[in-house]
Amino acid sequence: MNFDKVTRGEKVPTLKLAVVQYAVLALMLALTAGLWRLQILGAQNFKMLAEQNRVRKVPVLAPRGKLFDRENRLVVDNYPSVSCFLVREQNRNVDADLPLIAKGLHLDLDQLRATLHRYRTSPGYQPIPIKQDVSADEQAFIEAHRNELPELETIEGERRLYPRDGFASALIGYVGEVSEDDLNQTRYAAYEPGDVVGKAGVEEMYDQLLRGQDGSRDVVVDSHGREVGYLGTQHAVPGQDLKLTIDNDLQKAAELAMGDRTGAIVAMDPRNGDILAMVSRPSFDPNAFAVKIDRAEWNKLITDPDHPLMNKAIQAQLAPGSTFKILMSVAGLQEGIAQNLKVNCTGGWGPYGFFHHCDAKHGAVDIHNAIPYSCDTYYYQLGDKLGIDRIAKYATEFGYGQKTGIDLPGEQAGLMPSAHWLMKNYHRKWYPDETLDVAIGQGAVEATPLQLARIIGGIASGGHLVRPRVVFPDQLPADFRKDLLESLPGSGDVDIPIDPANWEIITDGMAEVTQPAAFHTAGSAHLEGIDLAGKTGTAQVMSHEALDKTAKGHNTRPNVWFIGVVPRRNPELVVAVLWEHGEFSYYPARLGARFVAAYVEKQRKLAHNLVPVKVPAQPPVEVGAVWTTPNPRANEAGESAAKIHAGKFYVGADGAVTGASGIAQAAKTGKAAQVVSGAAKNRMASTAKQTTGSEKSLRLNPGKSKPSSPESASLSSMPALPAKPATVKSQ
């Protein structure tokens, strides 16, 4: 065998050898670079990660800011609560522990798995909230299974405590865990899964101020995740407290007036826009959301046909009915048409082939009685003369079809139709017959209770309309207040000049609405001694022809309104009442009058102008007494210097003292007789003469002080309310 030949045949080519050498070199360089990156460049980062394996950040939840009413009375508070979190840093199979965790914390296993699935893309060090408001027995379960379930951690915090029975729930709103849809929005960019945020009302609108800033606590843990040391705390910053414009007393009065009826009440000070009360029915319990609402209860709320989660005061867009006639009166008078318009109401009017009904045959009607009569026939003809374009012009100026700009989320704008609107949306022209429906606040016209309160309150204020508000703006940081106003498009503060003579005609007509008389639509809401003015409204939910074809159940009844102001000109209060399917417009007028009575009584109380209550006559009370008098014969007859007397007297309810001879008369009349007997008579008369010079009886109690003189310009100084308002059947 030729060894040299074999060796030459198996020799590796130089090119292949070079490739292998360079490949080995490249591999060595890559390994060297990797080591350099890990040990030199990434040393600090990996050191921090290693430290995090030893040190855990436990969240310290910031307490949410409290809410107070305008008199600094607490409305929404917080209470101590413990939440349970699941930590995924234990290098263990958490899924295997889920059945035990669900059983011990009284959770639905499928729901617990769904919660973990939501957090599948979040960092492993981020705790997952699995149970809020943990009970005492659930805390005991966690402590007892600390070794078996080291992934469970508890964190102390505070939860919302709302008033009972849904008090002011539509205005306040509620809080809940931020949803996945929320996290996809720009405004929730700073939030993380599990954070609690405001979901409606003030809670949502002012969430940025109320929520505060969470802190953290650094603790040292061992290899099993058990806490063995403590390093430090970054304290949480509590949320800002806010003072609302509502008055707890007036809010309660509005809640009681509305009762279980479906609808809304909103009361506002038309001088500055302060919302004094806001009620929406049906309501809901925000405490059910403070922890985590049950799925069945949530489904019940969202499927309820009466929409309890809707704030009807700012979101119910319904035909305003005859309350729109106040705007029609302004337009007619300002255009110089209504002053000379006189009609003979025979029950309706129909010049265009379709007869439009009126609710009565009012006879001769002019602008002075058109408002208290609420005569449809008059406003049909006024609307026909004005035309839809002029009606829409005035309505838009005063705020129909526009948001008011109130600082609450979800406000709706309503709708004010016009010829341009109809052509743009339905591509057809406007017919004159359609104007007649608009003239009485029906057809396509829609408004919210707050809109009507602002508009009619503004008209009664001489054309000065304000932006409503539920939080006093002086509490807000300048930047926040600026951003808030920019984010709330609305008509805001507006001044629309109204001729003073026209203003007086309209406000006087509104005052006549609540005076008991034939055809006056709210005579039964009259309040003696209170200058209550207003306008009722009835809005059909279907035509007369369609109604005749139905069984005429509850849902076919018209929606009814009342907008009231006190006093009639330059009012300090406007209240809007909506009663869905309430049938008769004098019903909401009575509810509004009930609220106005509560408001006026409170103003009188604050002004110390309450009329004293007469106490029923009480029988005299028997009193025994012993006294002495000087004895003038002491030196002559050797008698003692003083004589001792004893007797019984009767003290009446007015403080007068009578003797035995006057008891019969005192008991009979309830007043103290000016009769005393014996030595008592002489002494009492002498004493009375010295003290009063004219009184013949001894007064134990001072007389009643003279009441202050009434001033018509102030509600607080008006005469007291009667025990019951007059009840006159409305026509």
Side-chain angles (χ1 to χ4, degrees):
M1 179 176 181
N2 191 336
F3 180 79
D4 293 337
K5 185 178 179 181
V6 174
T7 303
R8 285 195 302 270
E10 293 179 356
K11 185 177 180 179
V12 178
T14 304
L15 180 61
K16 291 184 178 180
L17 181 60
V19 170
V20 172
Q21 289 174 340
Y22 281 114
V24 172
L25 179 60
L27 180 60
M28 294 298 295
L29 290 175
L31 290 174
T32 303
L35 291 173
W36 174 268
R37 182 178 61 82
L38 293 174
Q39 298 184 14
I40 306 300
L41 297 180
Q44 189 62 32
N45 181 50
F46 286 104
K47 181 180 179 181
M48 183 179 65
L49 293 175
E51 187 70 16
Q52 288 180 350
N53 288 332
R54 185 177 67 89
V55 179
R56 177 185 301 162
K57 279 189 174 295
V58 179
V60 177
L61 304 180
R64 199 168 177 85
K66 299 178 182 179
L67 300 180
F68 298 84
D69 83 332
R70 66 188 299 112
E71 296 180 1
N72 289 315
R73 292 173 291 187
L74 188 63
V75 179
V76 178
D77 198 0
N78 300 313
Y79 69 92
S81 175
V82 176
S83 299
C84 180
F85 288 76
L86 190 145
V87 182
R88 295 168 291 174
E89 298 179 294
Q90 309 302 327
N91 296 323
R92 57 186 289 123
N93 184 9
V94 176
D95 293 338
D97 296 335
L98 294 184
L100 178 60
I101 294 174
K103 181 179 180 181
L105 297 181
H106 306 99
L107 296 172
D108 181 76
L109 181 57
D110 293 336
Q111 187 174 355
L112 178 59
R113 286 173 174 157
T115 301
L116 266 63
H117 183 71
R118 284 181 53 199
Y119 289 84
R120 65 190 181 279
T121 59
S122 60
Y125 59 83
Q126 179 179 330
I128 301 175
I130 59 174
K131 182 67 181 286
Q132 300 174 355
D133 211 22
V134 176
S135 62
D137 63 318
E138 291 167 344
Q139 292 183 53
F141 166 81
I142 295 172
E143 291 301 324
H145 294 78
R146 181 65 68 184
N147 291 332
E148 301 172 62
L149 304 172
E151 63 267 28
L152 294 184
E153 289 288 346
T154 57
I155 298 176
E156 295 182 357
E158 293 188 357
R159 294 290 168 194
R160 252 345 193 194
L161 181 61
Y162 294 102
R164 298 171 58 188
D165 302 323
F167 181 86
S169 59
L171 182 143
I172 295 170
Y174 61 94
V175 295
E177 186 178 337
V178 63
S179 65
E180 292 185 18
D181 293 337
D182 292 336
L183 293 173
N184 293 328
Q185 300 179 25
T186 306
R187 60 174 297 188
Y188 293 101
Y191 293 79
E192 296 180 354
D195 284 348
V196 173
V197 298
K199 289 288 190 177
V202 173
E203 293 279 24
E204 179 179 342
M205 183 59 66
Y206 292 94
D207 183 71
Q208 181 180 340
L209 299 180
L210 291 169
R211 71 186 304 259
Q213 184 176 349
D214 292 343
S216 62
R217 186 166 57 91
D218 295 335
V219 297
V220 181
V221 296
D222 60 14
S223 59
H224 296 286
R226 292 173 298 201
E227 185 175 329
V228 296
Y230 165 74
L231 295 180
T233 300
Q234 180 182 354
H235 296 286
V237 179
Q240 178 182 333
D241 296 339
L242 291 178
K243 185 166 74 170
L244 308 179
T245 61
I246 65 169
D247 184 308
N248 272 0
D249 299 325
L250 300 180
Q251 180 69 30
K252 181 179 179 180
E255 302 264 1
L256 292 175
M258 197 67 203
D260 294 330
R261 304 169 183 89
T262 301
I265 292 180
V266 57
M268 183 181 76
D269 186 337
R271 299 169 297 183
N272 51 31
D274 287 354
I275 298 298
L276 304 177
M278 181 178 287
V279 178
S280 178
R281 287 286 189 273
S283 61
F284 61 93
D285 183 9
N287 291 294
F289 295 88
V291 180
K292 193 167 188 179
I293 190 168
D294 179 76
R295 187 186 300 273
E297 188 172 353
W298 170 253
N299 290 334
K300 181 180 178 181
L301 288 173
I302 62 176
T303 57
D304 191 323
D306 290 326
H307 308 292
L309 294 179
M310 172 192 287
N311 184 353
K312 291 182 171 61
I314 65 172
Q315 294 177 321
Q317 302 177 97
L318 300 171
S322 294
T323 61
F324 191 76
K325 294 172 183 175
I326 301 300
L327 185 280
M328 289 291 299
S329 300
V330 173
L333 289 169
Q334 291 292 101
E335 293 293 322
I337 298 174
Q339 292 90 334
N340 302 316
L341 179 62
K342 296 178 175 60
V343 305
N344 180 34
C345 175
T346 59
W349 195 57
Y352 299 107
F354 181 81
F355 188 77
H356 294 260
H357 294 271
C358 186
D359 64 344
K361 297 179 180 180
H362 296 108
V365 181
D366 60 13
I367 187 60
H368 297 284
N369 57 13
I371 294 176
Y373 286 2
S374 193
C375 178
D376 289 344
T377 303
Y378 181 90
Y379 287 98
Y380 290 147
Q381 298 189 31
L382 177 60
D384 189 56
K385 292 180 181 297
L386 283 169
I388 187 60
D389 290 334
R390 279 196 286 188
I391 295 174
K393 170 182 172 292
Y394 278 91
T396 303
E397 285 182 353
F398 278 92
Y400 281 98
Q402 302 174 55
K403 297 180 180 180
T404 66
I406 189 173
D407 49 341
L408 287 175
E411 184 189 10
Q412 299 299 311
L415 176 64
M416 183 60 222
S418 65
H420 174 73
W421 166 85
L422 190 65
M423 180 61 69
K424 179 181 178 181
N425 291 277
Y426 296 95
H427 311 292
R428 68 173 180 84
K429 69 175 185 178
W430 185 276
Y431 294 103
D433 191 70
E434 296 175 284
T435 306
L436 307 191
D437 287 329
V438 172
I440 62 169
Q442 299 201 143
V445 184
E446 291 180 349
T448 67
L450 180 62
Q451 276 182 318
L452 294 180
R454 177 179 176 271
I455 293 168
I456 294 183
I459 292 173
S461 299
H464 177 63
L465 290 83
V466 296
R467 179 193 292 267
R469 63 191 185 191
V470 298
V471 171
F472 289 106
D474 57 0
Q475 308 171 86
L476 310 178
D479 293 343
F480 183 90
R481 183 165 62 248
K482 179 182 177 181
D483 293 341
L484 182 68
L485 293 177
E486 291 177 353
S487 67
L488 294 172
S491 44
D493 293 355
V494 179
D495 284 297
I496 304 171
I498 299 177
D499 184 271
N502 298 338
W503 178 47
E504 291 184 6
I505 291 174
I506 294 169
T507 51
D508 287 344
M510 291 170 61
E512 285 298 310
V513 169
T514 62
Q515 295 297 318
F519 297 129
H520 289 198
T521 57
S524 60
H526 176 70
L527 296 174
E528 192 66 35
I530 296 179
D531 189 19
L532 171 62
K535 186 68 189 77
T536 58
T538 304
Q540 296 174 338
V541 296
M542 58 179 62
S543 66
H544 289 285
E545 291 74 15
L547 184 62
D548 292 338
K549 299 176 182 178
T550 67
K552 298 182 179 180
H554 174 268
N555 290 338
T556 66
R557 297 174 184 173
N559 300 320
V560 287
W561 298 84
F562 176 73
I563 317 296
V565 295
V566 181
R568 73 182 75 181
R569 283 188 275 275
N570 296 320
E572 61 183 74
L573 173 72
V574 56
V575 56
V577 183
L578 164 65
W579 186 350
E580 294 185 31
H581 308 299
E583 193 166 7
F584 298 111
S585 60
Y586 53 83
Y587 288 163
R590 293 172 182 174
L591 302 183
R594 190 181 305 175
F595 177 84
V596 168
Y599 173 83
V600 174
E601 284 298 308
K602 175 157 188 178
Q603 300 309 306
R604 290 170 175 160
K605 182 179 179 181
L606 294 175
H608 305 288
N609 192 36
L610 290 175
V611 177
V613 179
K614 292 184 178 180
V615 179
Q618 300 292 332
V621 178
E622 181 179 339
V623 178
V626 177
W627 71 95
T628 61
T629 59
N631 186 0
R633 300 177 54 190
N635 295 332
E636 299 177 2
E639 298 180 5
S640 60
K643 296 185 69 173
I644 299 176
H645 306 271
K648 289 190 298 184
F649 302 91
Y650 298 90
V651 181
D654 62 351
V657 179
T658 62
S661 60
I663 185 59
Q665 181 182 357
K668 181 177 179 181
T669 64
K671 298 181 179 179
Q674 311 300 320
V675 180
V676 293
S677 61
K681 180 177 180 179
N682 297 329
R683 182 177 182 277
M684 303 290 274
S686 175
T687 304
K689 186 175 182 180
Q690 293 174 4
T691 55
T692 65
S694 61
E695 292 287 342
K696 294 185 179 180
S697 62
L698 179 64
R699 298 285 174 175
L700 301 182
N701 296 319
K704 298 176 181 178
S705 60
K706 184 179 180 180
S708 58
S709 59
E711 300 176 10
S712 60
S714 173
L715 291 179
S716 60
S717 59
M718 291 179 178
L721 293 175
K724 292 178 63 178
T727 55
V728 178
K729 186 175 181 180
S730 177
Q731 300 295 321

